[in-house]
Amino acid sequence: MGRENLVSSVLVALSVLSLVSVVKAEDAYRYFTWTVTYGTSSPLGVPQQVILINGQFPGPRLDVVTNDNIIINVFNKLDDSFLLTWNGIKQRKNSWQDGVLGTNCPIPPNSNYTYKFQAKDQIGTHSYFPSTLMHRAAGGFGALNIYARSVIPVPYPLPAEDFTLLIGDWYKANHKALQGYLDSGKSLPFPDGILINGQTQSTFNGDQGKTYMFRISNLGFSTSFNFRIQGHQMKLVEVEGSHVLQNMYDSLDLHVGQSMSVLVTLDQPPKDYYIVASTRFTKPVLTATALLHYTNSRAPVSGPIPAGPPNQLHWSMRQARTIRWNLTSNAARPNPQGSYHYGGIPVTKTFVFSNSAPLINGKQRYAVNSVSYINPDTPLKLADYFNIPGVFSMDTIQSFPSEGAPFLATPVVPVNLHDFIEVVFQNNEKIMQSWHLDGYDFWVVAYGSKQWTSAKRNSYNLVDAPTRHTVQVYPNSWTAILVSLDNQGMWNVRSAMWSRQYLGQQFYLRVFNPIHSLANEYDIPPNALLCGKAIGMHP
C-alpha cells in the first residue's frame, strides 16, 4: 500500500511538473523592431500626412499570448519626440513601460527606445497608439490582441478566424494643425468622417455556416459609435480582457477608448452584407461601412444601410447594464472570474471626480475637480524615483469637487498599495465622457443620471459587474467603479477623448508602498531615457 501511494505521488508530481513546464514554455519572448515615419495617405479622399509604423497605416497587428514577454525596439524618424502607450496592458509592477509622459521621457527624433513588458495574466482585445502631442490624429495606432494559453480553455468554441476592426472618427486636417488649434485656446471642430482600419471601405471574407470573431475597438477622438452587421446577430463574449455573459445583440454601442469581441455566425443566404459604424448622439451622424462577404456569394450587397438604434441616452445606458461578468468562466487564469468576491471588500477611500470645460487665462482648457493638468518637462515617475522636488503636487486635486476657480497644476492623487477604492465619475456637461485608467481594470458597478449621492450605492451591482479599463459617463450623469489597487506605480487617469486629455483632463494615481520590494515593483530599467530635471541622474 505504501509503495502504491509513493508511485501515485510521483505520478502526480510529474504531471504537475509537466504542466508547469508547458506553461513556462509558452512564456515566450517576442521581439519586434518598429520604425516610425511620416507618409502620405488619403483615408477620407484627401491626401494628408500620416504616421506609419514599418510603412503601415494603421500599424502592425500585435498578436501575443498570455504571459508573453514583448520586446519592441521603436526607432523614431519623425521631427517630434514620440511615445507609444499600450491601451489596456496592465504593465504589472512596471509603470516604467507605460509609455505616457508621466512615466516616460519621449523618444527624441532619430533615436530609439526598447519597450520591455509582459502580457501578464491577461487576455483580450486591446490596442496601442501615440501618447505624445496630437500624433494620434495622424496614425501610429494598431491592434494588440492577447490570446489565451493553450492549457487554458475559453468559454466558447474557437472561431474559424478573427477579424480586427479599429474604428474611429477622423479629421482631414494635419495633426499639427489640430494641435495648433488646441494650443490657440479653441476646441476641435466636429470630425470629418469615420475610418474602419484606416479606410472608408474594407471587406471581411467568411465561409457560410462558420463562426467568426470580430475584435472591435473605438480608437476615435470624441465620438461614441454603434456597431452592427446587416442581417446578423452578435454574441458578446469578451470586454477588455474579461469574459462576459454571452448575450445576443443586434447592435452594440462602443465609446471612446473601449474594446470588445463578438462572435458572428454566417447563417444567412450567401451574399454580401453591410458592416456599419455610425456615431451616437451627434448632429450630423457620421457613418462608415465595410462588407461582410460570404465566399460563396453570388450577389452584391443590397438594401438600405441598416439603421442604428434609437438616439436615446437611456437606451444606451440600459444596454450597458446588460454587460455583466461571466462568473463561471475563467479569463487568463484557470480559476473562475466569480471566485473573486469584489462586492464584499470594504472600501478604504471614496473619490468623486467631476469633469469640466473652463476657460483659463482666456483659453479653452479641460479640468478634473477644477484642476487642469499641465505636463512638466520631467516625467512624474522619474521625479518620484529620484526625489526631485517641484515637479508635481500630491495635495492639489481634492477627493470631491470644489467650487473654487479652475487653475493649472500637475496633480497626483496619493493612494496606498492594496487599497480598495470607490471612484465616481461625475459628468455635469452635455457631452458623452469616457474615462481610462492605466495599469488596471475595474468593476463598473453602476450608471446613473443627474447627481451621485451616497444613497446611490444601493443600486450598485456587487455580484457580476464587468471589469474594464475604460468606461463611459453619459451627459448629466455619473458612473461608479471599484478598483483594487494591487499594482504599484504611477498610473495615468485620463479622459479618453484625446483633445480633452491634451488640454488638461487627466491626472496621475500614485499607488505606493514605502517598503522597497521587487515583489511590488520592478526597478527602473537600465535603458530608461532621462530628460528634464532627471538628466545626469543614475538609475
Side-chain angles (χ1 to χ4, degrees):
M1 192 70 176
R3 178 181 174 82
E4 291 175 357
N5 285 338
L6 177 61
V7 171
S8 176
S9 298
V10 170
L11 289 175
V12 169
L14 288 174
S15 66
V16 170
L17 285 172
S18 174
L19 177 60
V20 169
S21 67
V22 169
V23 172
K24 287 188 176 296
E26 288 190 325
D27 292 354
Y29 282 78
R30 299 180 183 268
Y31 295 87
F32 305 89
T33 299
W34 287 0
T35 301
V36 181
T37 61
Y38 287 126
T40 301
S41 184
S42 304
L44 289 177
V46 177
Q48 65 183 113
Q49 186 182 65
V50 296
I51 292 177
L52 310 174
I53 298 179
N54 291 355
Q56 299 178 46
F57 171 77
R61 171 172 153 174
L62 201 56
D63 288 340
V64 300
V65 175
T66 300
N67 292 346
D68 276 358
N69 296 279
I70 302 162
I71 295 91
I72 305 178
N73 193 0
V74 177
F75 287 84
N76 176 20
K77 298 297 183 180
L78 307 182
D79 56 359
D80 291 322
S81 296
F82 182 82
L83 276 176
L84 288 170
T85 191
W86 316 96
N87 202 47
I89 303 304
K90 295 180 184 177
Q91 305 287 6
R92 296 290 303 172
K93 304 188 291 185
N94 200 18
S95 63
W96 300 109
Q97 304 292 343
D98 201 29
V100 290
L101 289 173
T103 58
N104 295 83
C105 296
I107 307 167
N110 297 312
S111 298
N112 71 297
Y113 175 73
T114 301
Y115 291 89
K116 299 177 182 179
F117 59 90
Q118 187 179 25
K120 180 66 175 173
D121 293 334
Q122 287 193 255
I123 58 165
T125 300
H126 308 284
S127 60
Y128 63 87
F129 56 81
S131 63
T132 38
L133 303 175
M134 287 296 287
H135 291 139
R136 183 173 171 174
F141 56 79
L144 202 172
N145 301 324
I146 308 176
Y147 294 84
R149 294 173 290 165
S150 61
V151 295
I152 302 296
V154 294
Y156 48 81
L158 292 178
E161 190 178 347
D162 63 331
F163 305 120
T164 294
L165 290 84
L166 306 176
I167 305 175
D169 48 22
W170 193 256
Y171 291 92
K172 295 177 182 178
N174 180 280
H175 70 284
K176 292 189 176 182
L178 295 174
Q179 181 183 327
Y181 209 78
L182 294 172
D183 290 342
S184 70
K186 302 175 183 177
S187 57
L188 288 184
F190 191 69
D192 296 307
I194 297 181
L195 301 182
I196 300 177
N197 291 347
Q199 306 173 66
T200 54
Q201 185 61 266
S202 304
T203 300
F204 301 89
N205 301 308
D207 297 332
Q208 188 177 27
K210 291 184 178 180
T211 298
Y212 295 83
M213 176 174 282
F214 287 75
R215 297 177 177 269
I216 314 156
S217 296
N218 185 336
L219 286 184
F221 296 92
S222 60
T223 56
S224 305
F225 67 77
N226 180 267
F227 181 84
R228 52 201 182 272
I229 301 177
Q230 183 183 26
H232 294 74
Q233 284 201 312
M234 302 176 289
K235 180 186 289 186
L236 183 63
V237 294
E238 178 259 331
V239 171
E240 295 167 19
S242 289
H243 289 131
V244 295
L245 292 181
Q246 296 180 10
N247 297 325
M248 302 298 295
Y249 296 89
D250 294 320
S251 71
L252 281 161
D253 281 355
L254 267 84
H255 307 278
V256 180
Q258 295 184 339
S259 298
M260 59 178 59
S261 299
V262 299
L263 295 176
V264 179
T265 299
L266 276 57
D267 55 3
Q268 298 300 303
K271 52 173 286 189
D272 292 355
Y273 295 87
Y274 285 114
I275 298 172
V276 185
S278 59
T279 56
R280 297 286 275 148
F281 321 119
T282 65
K283 292 181 181 180
V285 174
L286 300 176
T287 300
T289 60
L291 291 181
L292 174 59
H293 172 72
Y294 281 46
T295 53
N296 61 341
S297 170
R298 297 184 181 276
V301 67
S302 61
I305 295 174
N311 193 42
Q312 299 169 345
L313 293 169
H314 69 268
W315 184 97
S316 182
M317 191 182 292
R318 283 203 308 268
Q319 182 184 80
R321 291 179 179 136
T322 68
I323 300 174
R324 305 171 87 92
W325 225 15
N326 187 335
L327 298 180
T328 60
S329 167
N330 61 283
R333 293 182 174 183
N335 52 299
Q337 294 177 142
S339 62
Y340 193 89
H341 302 289
Y342 69 93
I345 302 174
V347 169
T348 55
K349 194 165 187 179
T350 295
F351 298 92
V352 178
F353 296 122
S354 178
N355 53 266
S356 59
L359 293 178
I360 300 179
N361 299 326
K363 291 186 175 183
Q364 179 66 68
R365 296 289 299 185
Y366 299 101
V368 184
N369 287 5
S370 301
V371 185
S372 186
Y373 184 93
I374 50 174
N375 280 306
D377 62 359
T378 308
L380 315 186
K381 185 63 181 170
L382 291 179
D384 198 27
Y385 181 81
F386 290 119
N387 294 314
I388 302 172
V391 174
F392 61 86
S393 170
M394 290 197 290
D395 59 4
T396 303
I397 196 166
Q398 302 303 307
S399 301
F400 290 82
S402 64
E403 298 298 326
F407 61 98
L408 303 174
T410 305
V412 170
V413 174
V415 287
N416 296 318
L417 184 65
H418 303 307
D419 276 356
F420 190 80
I421 62 172
E422 173 189 36
V423 176
V424 178
F425 294 113
Q426 179 70 52
N427 179 16
N428 296 325
E429 299 183 72
K430 296 179 180 180
I431 52 94
M432 282 292 302
Q433 179 62 274
S434 191
W435 283 101
H436 173 84
L437 170 59
D438 279 352
Y440 288 92
D441 53 18
F442 44 74
W443 291 271
V444 184
V445 292
Y447 302 94
S449 300
K450 300 180 181 178
Q451 294 292 313
W452 179 86
T453 66
S454 59
K456 303 296 184 181
R457 292 187 178 118
N458 294 328
S459 67
Y460 284 8
N461 177 358
L462 300 180
V463 177
D464 60 356
T467 60
R468 59 190 321 160
H469 55 66
T470 305
V471 67
Q472 73 274 21
V473 191
Y474 294 92
N476 296 309
S477 298
W478 56 269
T479 297
I481 67 173
L482 298 176
V483 194
S484 178
L485 298 179
D486 60 355
N487 192 15
Q488 184 164 318
M490 188 76 74
W491 302 109
N492 192 213
V493 184
R494 62 177 177 266
S495 172
M497 301 161 76
W498 205 249
S499 61
R500 285 180 163 254
Q501 178 276 153
Y502 180 76
L503 289 182
Q505 207 153 74
Q506 61 171 312
F507 60 92
Y508 281 79
L509 202 64
R510 180 182 184 254
V511 182
F512 186 68
N513 185 326
I515 301 174
H516 177 76
S517 170
L518 293 178
N520 294 333
E521 185 175 23
Y522 298 143
D523 282 334
I524 184 172
N527 69 327
L529 299 176
L530 302 180
C531 57
K533 296 179 180 178
I535 292 176
M537 301 287 188
H538 297 286

